[in-house]
Amino acid sequence: METLEFIIYPDGRVQEKVTGIVGNSCAEVTAAIEAQLGLVLSQEPTSEFFAAKVEQSGVVNTQTAYSDW
């Protein structure tokens, strides 16, 4: 599940935490929000940022050999 969590501090700072999005596509998801919030002071990538998206193929290769026994 993809989630965006925002913590708004009394001094106006906003902390944003993204979970459930693999790779750097989280930057695409949050770009419009960050543009409206203002200056981004820092970013800390999570382990999900560095994870690779796993895709499975539906193709199965089989090989059959017949013997002349």
Side-chain angles (χ1 to χ4, degrees), residues 1-5 17-22 26 46 48:
M1 177 191 286
E2 299 174 356
T3 60
L4 298 172
E5 178 183 348
K17 182 176 181 181
V18 180
T19 56
I21 300 176
V22 177
C26 62
T46 63
E48 290 175 330

Side-chain angles (χ1 to χ4, degrees), residues 47-67:
S47 60
E48 290 175 330
F49 177 84
F50 297 104
K53 196 172 208 175
V54 177
E55 294 184 25
Q56 292 183 334
S57 172
V59 177
V60 176
N61 293 327
T62 60
Q63 182 177 1
T64 307
Y66 294 99
S67 175

Side-chain angles (χ1 to χ4, degrees), residues 1-7 14-21 25-34 37 48:
M1 177 191 286
E2 299 174 356
T3 60
L4 298 172
E5 178 183 348
F6 296 93
I7 299 172
V14 178
Q15 179 181 351
E16 171 187 48
K17 182 176 181 181
V18 180
T19 56
I21 300 176
S25 60
C26 62
E28 297 169 9
V29 172
T30 60
I33 297 168
E34 290 172 358
L37 289 174
E48 290 175 330

